């Protein structure tokens, strides 16, 4: 008989990614007491790729200078506290609020989106869920030719589409009052870095005289592209 997951465990985006590649991997991941991890440390390439992903993630956060990171308030980083802090930030009485590493929970689903960008317009409020990926993009080519084939995501993008789709589903369940849209933010090979440095873009010039609530969206700033 297949072992049951540990009681009280949430389905996160990491566990979801394991499940869509192989359902048995989900069993292994949720029962480390029965299936200890056989992964060993010391893979230099894997560590390099992880470091580059963190570096690009920090760069993308810099494109939203009005952003607030969840979990730095000094309270215990429990699921309940993180979810409550995120909800409080999103409900601020401002036209725009950007949240880094927020927390969203609905029943047994729990996730920490890279970026949540809530923008209120005259007729609606949009919650943009942005997943940062270090996979390269080329804005000189069409969206369809890069990501899709015969109406389906290409194999090279399938896991990213599944990832952000899962997160968008949970966000819609948790925040039905918002119009939820999902985005991938990736480094654009068609753009050039400022002086070869990921973090030297002058963001202050992008804020207009009315303050950061009206900061333009990040689609065409720096070397990152929203897709």
């Amino acid at each position: 008989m297949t072992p049951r997951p540990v009681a009280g465990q949430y389905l996160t985006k990491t566990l979801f990614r394991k499940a869509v590649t192989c359902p048995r991997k989900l069993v292994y991941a949720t029962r480390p007491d029965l299936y200890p991890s056989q992964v060993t440390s010391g893979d230099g390439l894997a560590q390099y790729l992880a470091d580059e992903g963190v570096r690009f993630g920090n760069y993308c956060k810099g494109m939203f200078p009005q952003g607030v990171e969840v979990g730095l308030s000094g309270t215990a980083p429990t699921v309940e506290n993180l979810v409550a802090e995120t909800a409080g930030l999103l409900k601020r009485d401002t036209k725009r609020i950007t949240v880094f590493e927020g927390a969203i929970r609905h029943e047994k689903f729990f996730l920490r989106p890279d970026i949540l960008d809530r923008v209120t317009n005259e007729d609606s409020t949009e919650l943009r869920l942005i997943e940062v990926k270090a996979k390269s993009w080329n804005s000189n080519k069409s969206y369809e030719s890069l990501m899709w084939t015969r109406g389906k995501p290409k194999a090279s993008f399938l896991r990213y589409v599944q990832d952000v789709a899962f997160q968008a589903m949970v966000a819609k369940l948790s925040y039905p009052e918002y119009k939820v849209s999902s985005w991938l933010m990736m480094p654009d090979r068609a753009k050039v870095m400022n002086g070869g440095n990921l973090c030297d873009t002058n963001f202050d010039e992008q804020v207009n005289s009315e303050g950061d609530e009206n900061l333009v969206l990040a689609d065409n700033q720096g070397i990152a592209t929203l897709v």
Side-chain angles (χ1 to χ4, degrees):
M1 184 174 67
T2 302
R4 294 179 178 273
V6 176
Q9 190 165 38
Y10 293 102
L11 181 63
T12 64
K13 63 179 183 180
T14 299
L15 292 177
F16 171 78
R17 286 198 297 264
K18 292 180 182 294
V20 295
T21 58
C22 175
R24 187 158 290 276
K25 287 184 179 180
L26 180 61
V27 177
Y28 297 153
T30 55
R31 293 305 305 267
D33 55 324
L34 298 178
Y35 307 103
S37 175
Q38 301 298 314
V39 177
T40 58
S41 58
D43 187 338
L45 177 59
Q47 186 59 51
Y48 170 78
L49 293 175
D51 292 343
E52 287 300 295
V54 171
R55 183 169 176 247
F56 181 65
N58 289 334
Y59 170 80
C60 291
K61 289 180 181 179
M63 298 178 74
F64 299 87
Q66 78 281 16
V68 179
E69 186 152 354
V70 167
L72 303 180
S73 62
T75 59
T78 63
V79 169
E80 289 74 16
N81 287 343
L82 294 172
V83 169
E85 183 181 354
T86 301
L89 289 170
L90 292 177
K91 292 176 181 178
R92 279 186 179 179
D93 188 20
T94 60
K95 291 184 178 179
R96 184 179 188 189
I97 180 70
T98 305
V99 178
F100 303 140
E101 307 295 337
I104 298 178
R105 177 181 59 185
H106 180 79
E107 296 180 353
K108 290 298 182 180
F109 300 124
F110 176 71
L111 51 94
R112 302 287 305 272
D114 293 328
I115 301 173
L116 290 169
D117 193 36
R118 194 268 295 150
V119 182
T120 300
N121 300 311
E122 292 183 1
D123 54 349
S124 66
T125 299
E126 181 181 8
L127 181 62
R128 291 161 45 115
L129 188 150
I130 302 171
E131 178 71 7
V132 175
K133 297 296 183 185
K135 181 177 177 60
S136 64
W137 183 260
N138 188 342
S139 59
N140 286 335
K141 297 183 179 180
S142 70
Y143 166 82
E144 290 78 10
S145 66
L146 286 171
M147 186 176 286
W148 299 89
T149 179
R150 298 179 182 177
K152 297 181 179 179
K154 289 185 176 181
S156 58
F157 278 97
L158 178 59
R159 60 180 176 142
Y160 304 121
V161 173
Q162 291 172 331
D163 187 340
V164 75
F166 169 72
Q167 294 186 67
M169 178 198 75
V170 178
K172 289 177 181 179
L173 291 171
S174 186
Y175 292 99
E177 68 272 26
Y178 296 150
K179 176 184 177 183
V180 177
S181 60
S182 52
W183 303 78
L184 294 172
M185 185 172 246
M186 299 175 284
D188 192 345
R189 287 182 292 174
K191 297 181 179 180
V192 180
M193 290 185 293
N194 251 350
N197 190 324
L198 274 177
C199 301
D200 65 358
T201 304
N202 187 352
F203 301 109
D204 293 337
E205 294 179 358
Q206 298 163 5
V207 182
N208 64 24
S209 59
E210 295 185 34
D212 60 29
E213 290 182 359
N214 296 295
L215 187 72
V216 294
L217 297 177
D219 301 45
N220 297 307
Q221 303 166 16
I223 65 160
T225 290
L226 279 172
V227 178

